[in-house]
């Protein structure tokens, strides 16, 4: 992700460094049309772009402006869209910099000398999703089967689109790169913002708010086109103050990923009847005696008998998260083995049978005494490999600087093979750990700059090359704060983290 692209005339005006920066507000009316306020209306504005602790990028802000012509008289501010356009000097070219929404407090109006002054707090879609998500009831879990992490062309099978839909966003409100890493099972239970950030972490992608789309999901190292992330130049002499420090807080020499890994198995027995009482023959093969008036729970026609699916493997049972290709009632009956006491195989049948993804409900009807030899249900299961782990460390760095651990928190990892930075193919989850370790052991620096030049085209999350007297340092914008005062102009504060 790079900086915003400017019109050449606007860029030329900025390079002169003497032209004042102009901010224009456009506010949506009740009909959806944009009301453009006069240039002199905005008195103060503050816009803060930052990396959330979950990993995504948010924008919050506040504006204070005069409504001398009463353009907004009678309008409620809550949830109203606001666009911020920025220009320089008299070039006549504007950069559409932000598309934000007024928060729940709406417009706060005050009148002095007959002039209305309006103050509003603004937020982009990620900031709003983060704030509102915790207030909604997310008790209703969502199970997603056989999807890919991100696919713009097929949103119905794209995990990023399905998560965004839980936050009330349609596929047209989301722009994303295509990351075709398959997932056999995904359990969505947290807020949409938490889940989006978790997915972005797994994909090594950026998630942020956009101008024309409410959410952008991009710049993944695993995306289909394989293009390198765009980078923008940034001259150090644009800042009147620049401080440098060691970024020791992002150093790590041991990466530990532990998660519950879903796995799809081959079709097999998901359930077999084994309820007491039981009899064994000379070869210790079990059978289950049935009577026409028997009291076995599976014979009670008023209470469906629950058959929980599980997979038995190496003397332990694995619960089934999901199963499909489950046998029909006719197929189960075909495999039922019963020996009547009077001879023959008739006398026991299924009186009811329904299935769900993790269980079946059934009842048996017995017309003559006998022994049940086999009653089972087959299907193709997805099971959870609890406590799957991948640990990688750099022993030389540990000996030098002590153990510094990074624990992977995401759970959206694929078993698909990917090509690593070294050209070797390995499972996605292993490659993610190796990339995190490779990045973590770097001795990185953090730069904090302040500028009164109009650096409004910068954006948090963007990759840039910090250039100074023939040297350059590859950095990513961690945080960006723009403060506008009508009497003083625009000041920009930026935090850069070396890549």
């Amino acid at each position: 992700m790079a900086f915003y692209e400017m019109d050449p005339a606007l860029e030329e005006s900025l390079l002169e460094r003497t032209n004042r920066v102009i901010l224009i507000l456009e506010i949506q009316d009740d009909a959806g049309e944009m009301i453009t306020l006069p240039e002199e209306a905005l008195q103060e504005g503050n816009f803060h772009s930052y990396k959330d602790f979950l990993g995504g990028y948010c924008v919050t802000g506040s504006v204070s402006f005069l409504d001398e012509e009463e353009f907004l008289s009678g309008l409620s501010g809550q949830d109203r869209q606001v666009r911020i356009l920025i220009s320089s000097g008299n070039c006549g070219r504007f950069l559409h910099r932000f598309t934000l929404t007024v928060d729940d407090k709406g417009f706060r109006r005050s009148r002095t000398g007959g002039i209305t002054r309006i103050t509003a707090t603004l937020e982009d879609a990620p900031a709003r999703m983060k704030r509102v998500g915790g207030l909604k009831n997310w008790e209703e879990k969502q199970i997603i089967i056989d999807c890919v992490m991100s696919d713009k062309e097929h949103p119905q099978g794209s995990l990023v689109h399905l998560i965004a839909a839980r936050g009330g966003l349609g596929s047209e409100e989301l722009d994303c790169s295509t990351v075709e890493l398959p997932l056999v099972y995904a359990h969505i239970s947290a807020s949409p913002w938490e889940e989006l950030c978790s997915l972005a972490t797994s994909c090594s992608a950026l998630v942020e708010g956009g101008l024309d789309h409410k959410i952008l999901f991009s710049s993944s190292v695993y995306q289909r086109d394989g293009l390198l992330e765009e980078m923008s130049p940034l001259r150090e002499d644009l800042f009147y103050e620049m401080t440098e420090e060691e970024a020791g807080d992002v150093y790590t020499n041991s990466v530990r990923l532990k998660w519950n890994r879903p796995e799809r198995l081959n079709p097999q027995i998901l359930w077999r009847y084994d309820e007491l009482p039981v009899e064994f023959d000379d070869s210790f093969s079990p059978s289950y005696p049935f009577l026409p008036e028997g009291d076995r729970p599976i014979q009670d026609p008023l209470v469906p008998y629950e058959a929980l699916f599980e997979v038995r493997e190496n003397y332990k049972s694995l619960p089934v998260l999901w199963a499909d290709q489950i046998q029909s009632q006719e197929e189960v009956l075909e495999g039922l083995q019963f020996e009547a006491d009077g001879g023959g195989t008739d006398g026991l049948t299924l009186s009811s049978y329904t299935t769900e993804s993790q269980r079946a409900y059934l009842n048996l009807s017995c017309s003559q005494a006998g022994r049940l030899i086999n009653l089972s249900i087959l299907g193709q299961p997805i099971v959870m490999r609890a406590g799957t782990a991948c640990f990688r460390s750099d022993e030389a760095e540990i000996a030098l600087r002590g153990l510094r651990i990074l624990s992977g928190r995401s759970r959206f990892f694929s078993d698909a093979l990917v090509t690593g930075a070294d050209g070797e193919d390995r499972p996605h989850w292993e490659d993610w750990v190796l990339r995190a370790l490779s990045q973590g052991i770097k001795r990185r620096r953090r730069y904090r700059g302040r500028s009164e030049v109009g650096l409004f085209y910068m954006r948090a999350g963007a990759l840039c090359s910090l250039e100074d007297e023939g040297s350059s340092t590859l950095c990513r914008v961690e945080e960006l704060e723009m403060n506008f005062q009508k009497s003083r102009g625009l000041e920009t504060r930026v935090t850069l983290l070396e890549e």
Side-chain angles (χ1 to χ4, degrees):
M1 179 171 65
F3 297 160
Y4 287 105
E5 187 174 346
M6 292 186 294
D7 183 279
L10 175 56
E11 186 174 3
E12 182 180 348
S13 179
L14 276 177
L15 290 176
E16 294 180 12
R17 301 196 184 192
T18 56
N19 294 321
R20 65 189 182 95
V21 173
I22 302 167
L23 273 73
I24 299 290
L25 298 183
E26 291 186 342
I27 300 177
Q28 191 177 51
D29 64 15
D30 289 340
E33 300 296 325
M34 302 306 294
I35 301 172
T36 302
L37 299 185
E39 175 185 321
E40 61 275 7
L42 183 63
Q43 305 298 298
E44 300 176 8
N46 183 272
F47 308 97
H48 185 204
S49 304
Y50 63 95
K51 185 177 183 178
D52 179 64
F53 73 95
L54 292 171
Y57 290 87
C58 300
V59 178
T60 57
S62 62
V63 290
S64 180
F65 57 93
L66 302 181
D67 188 19
E68 296 185 71
E69 303 297 327
E70 299 292 336
F71 289 117
L72 306 179
S73 178
L75 293 183
S76 168
Q78 187 176 0
D79 299 331
R80 198 170 294 277
Q81 188 182 104
V82 177
R83 296 176 185 168
I84 291 87
L85 312 179
I86 309 181
S87 184
S88 171
N90 298 316
C91 71
R93 300 292 189 269
F94 285 84
L95 174 68
H96 178 189
R97 182 57 183 84
F98 296 107
T99 298
L100 306 175
T101 304
V102 181
D103 74 356
D104 293 345
K105 294 180 181 178
F107 290 148
R108 302 187 291 280
R109 291 177 168 89
S110 61
R111 289 185 66 83
T112 303
I115 298 177
T116 300
R117 186 183 182 107
I118 297 177
T119 303
T121 301
L122 309 175
E123 57 192 359
D124 69 349
R128 184 174 185 81
M129 189 180 291
K130 173 187 172 184
R131 177 177 64 84
V132 176
L135 304 178
K136 289 193 174 183
N137 181 7
W138 297 114
E139 291 302 315
E140 184 178 348
K141 310 297 189 288
Q142 184 175 3
I143 304 298
I144 300 169
I145 304 298
D146 293 326
C147 63
V148 297
M149 293 190 175
S150 173
D151 189 344
K152 184 190 300 187
E153 297 173 0
H154 304 95
Q156 68 279 5
S158 167
L159 183 57
V160 68
H161 287 86
L162 297 171
I163 293 173
R166 285 173 65 86
L169 301 182
S171 59
E172 73 282 354
E173 297 177 292
L174 173 69
D175 191 18
C176 65
S177 55
T178 295
V179 181
E180 294 178 317
L181 292 174
L183 295 169
V184 298
Y185 177 93
H187 182 197
I188 309 302
S189 58
S191 74
W193 180 243
E194 291 177 80
E195 300 288 15
L196 279 175
C197 290
S198 180
L199 181 60
T201 298
S202 299
C203 294
S204 300
L206 301 177
V207 58
E208 60 166 343
L211 299 178
D212 301 318
H213 296 83
K214 292 188 176 181
I215 295 290
L216 299 179
F217 187 91
S218 64
S219 305
S220 170
V221 297
Y222 303 112
Q223 65 191 44
R224 182 171 61 188
D225 56 31
L227 296 177
L228 294 176
E229 186 177 356
E230 289 185 67
M231 178 186 62
S232 299
L234 179 64
R235 300 207 320 266
E236 191 169 325
D237 62 8
L238 294 174
F239 300 90
Y240 69 81
E241 177 183 291
M242 178 69 78
T243 61
E244 177 185 336
E245 62 187 43
E246 296 293 327
D249 57 307
V250 297
Y251 174 82
T252 182
N253 49 37
S254 180
V255 180
R256 301 183 177 184
L257 177 63
K258 190 173 183 179
W259 81 109
N260 295 326
R261 173 174 155 261
E263 180 181 353
R264 184 186 294 278
L265 304 180
N266 292 326
Q268 57 190 278
I269 294 175
L270 304 179
W271 174 84
R272 188 191 300 274
Y273 185 79
D274 59 359
E275 192 172 47
L276 297 174
V278 59
E279 298 176 350
F280 293 92
D281 60 18
D282 293 341
S283 62
F284 294 100
S285 297
S287 62
Y288 306 91
F290 271 77
L291 298 172
E293 302 297 329
D295 58 357
R296 288 181 179 271
I298 199 171
Q299 292 180 260
D300 186 350
L302 301 178
V303 181
Y305 184 83
E306 182 181 46
L308 283 173
F309 297 157
E310 64 179 13
V311 170
R312 297 183 180 182
E313 186 180 86
N314 298 328
Y315 304 103
K316 64 180 180 180
S317 296
L318 300 175
V320 172
L321 298 174
W322 185 274
D324 51 23
Q325 301 182 34
I326 302 169
Q327 285 183 313
S328 65
Q329 182 169 342
E330 292 73 19
E331 291 171 326
V332 173
L333 270 174
E334 190 176 321
L336 187 151
Q337 298 178 28
F338 179 75
E339 294 180 357
D341 289 347
T345 58
D346 295 332
L348 191 66
T349 188
L350 282 173
S351 56
S352 67
Y353 178 78
T354 59
T355 63
E356 296 179 357
S357 59
Q358 294 178 298
R359 58 183 59 82
Y361 294 97
L362 67 161
N363 291 105
L364 291 177
S365 175
C366 182
S367 59
Q368 61 176 312
R371 296 178 299 114
L372 174 64
I373 306 302
N374 178 67
L375 174 62
S376 59
I377 301 173
L378 279 70
Q380 185 168 26
I382 296 174
V383 299
M384 186 71 80
R385 302 289 186 187
T388 303
C390 181
F391 297 167
R392 294 291 185 274
S393 300
D394 188 307
E395 299 302 330
E397 286 290 324
I398 293 174
L400 183 65
R401 304 192 65 181
L403 184 62
R404 305 283 185 86
I405 299 173
L406 171 67
S407 297
R409 292 182 296 180
S410 181
R411 64 186 184 284
F412 300 120
F413 290 101
S414 174
D415 288 335
L417 295 179
V418 299
T419 302
D422 57 359
E424 295 293 328
D425 290 343
R426 54 178 64 91
H428 165 232
W429 43 268
E430 183 181 359
D431 184 71
W432 184 91
V433 170
L434 290 174
R435 287 178 185 269
L437 180 61
S438 175
Q439 186 75 350
I441 61 176
K442 293 179 181 178
R443 306 290 203 278
R444 294 193 278 172
R445 294 164 292 176
R446 183 175 280 115
Y447 302 89
R448 304 183 192 275
R450 301 177 67 172
S451 175
E452 291 183 342
V453 179
L455 300 182
F456 50 82
Y457 52 87
M458 295 180 66
R459 61 198 293 195
L463 198 63
C464 64
S465 174
L466 183 61
E467 301 172 351
D468 179 39
E469 297 180 354
S471 66
S472 63
T473 304
L474 186 63
C475 299
R476 191 174 298 278
V477 182
E478 272 193 323
E479 187 175 11
L480 178 68
E481 186 171 3
M482 295 187 290
N483 184 272
F484 175 80
Q485 301 283 336
K486 185 176 180 179
S487 58
R488 295 176 49 194
L490 180 70
E491 182 181 57
T492 305
R493 299 182 182 183
V494 62
T495 302
L496 308 172
L497 177 63
E498 185 179 5
E499 282 284 289

